[in-house]
Amino acid sequence: MQHLWQLWAAVALICLILELTAGDFFIICFAIGAVPAAIVAAIGAGTYYQIVVFAVVTLVSLFYVRPFAKRYLHKGEDKRISNADALLGRQGRVVEPIQAGGFGRVQIDGDIWKAVTKSDTDIPEGANVVVVDRASTIITVEKM
């Protein structure tokens, strides 16, 4: 147990290496917690105190260091919308007629989506449409 500080140092080093592959500043918090635990172990404190120091410092860094790092080190990255929200404003082609008050199908980039329209008129097959809204996996379209 005299050289337990080396184990904590190895944990810190491994966490730093793993953080390089992830890049979301989560694993680095464990590395930050392992460094004071290694110092406490080198001083000669018991295993219980080492674990408590590791846990406390890791939790503090999760709540304070990680948000700070994400805010300042990921500044300037574009905020990409993903999934169904990325469909808003996209154009597509009707592959199954959309009945007023009913459903049809629209193809956008090779994917086919269930679609409705707010207008009182039907949208025929082959018409070009634009996505104006969505509710779950059903998109609302307007004729272009």
Side-chain angles (χ1 to χ4, degrees), residues 8 30 33-34 37 49-62:
W8 287 113
F30 293 95
Y49 293 111
Q50 296 171 33
I51 292 171
V52 169
V53 167
F54 172 73
V56 168
V57 174
T58 298
L59 283 174
V60 168
S61 65
L62 277 171

Side-chain angles (χ1 to χ4, degrees), residues 71-129:
R71 186 177 323 117
Y72 290 103
L73 296 177
H74 282 237
K75 189 179 1 179
E77 288 185 4
D78 58 343
K79 307 260 188 280
R80 294 184 194 146
I81 53 175
S82 61
N83 302 331
D85 289 332
L87 290 173
L88 297 177
R90 300 287 305 272
Q91 297 177 4
R93 187 176 54 82
V94 177
V95 293
E96 182 181 302
I98 304 171
Q99 306 297 323
F103 296 100
R105 304 268 179 208
V106 172
Q107 183 176 14
I108 301 172
D109 292 336
D111 294 326
I112 298 186
W113 295 84
K114 191 173 188 179
V116 295
T117 182
K118 290 183 180 177
S119 73
D120 296 334
T121 59
D122 297 347
I123 301 178
E125 184 175 341
N128 291 323
V129 293

Side-chain angles (χ1 to χ4, degrees), residues 84-85 87 113 133-139:
D85 289 332
L87 290 173
W113 295 84
D133 197 10
R134 74 164 186 86
S136 185
T137 58
I138 301 172
I139 59 174

Side-chain angles (χ1 to χ4, degrees), residues 10-33:
V11 168
L13 185 62
I14 290 169
C15 288
L16 286 173
I17 292 169
L18 289 174
E19 179 62 40
L20 290 174
T21 63
D24 64 350
F25 305 109
F26 180 75
I27 301 172
I28 198 167
C29 294
F30 293 95
I32 292 170

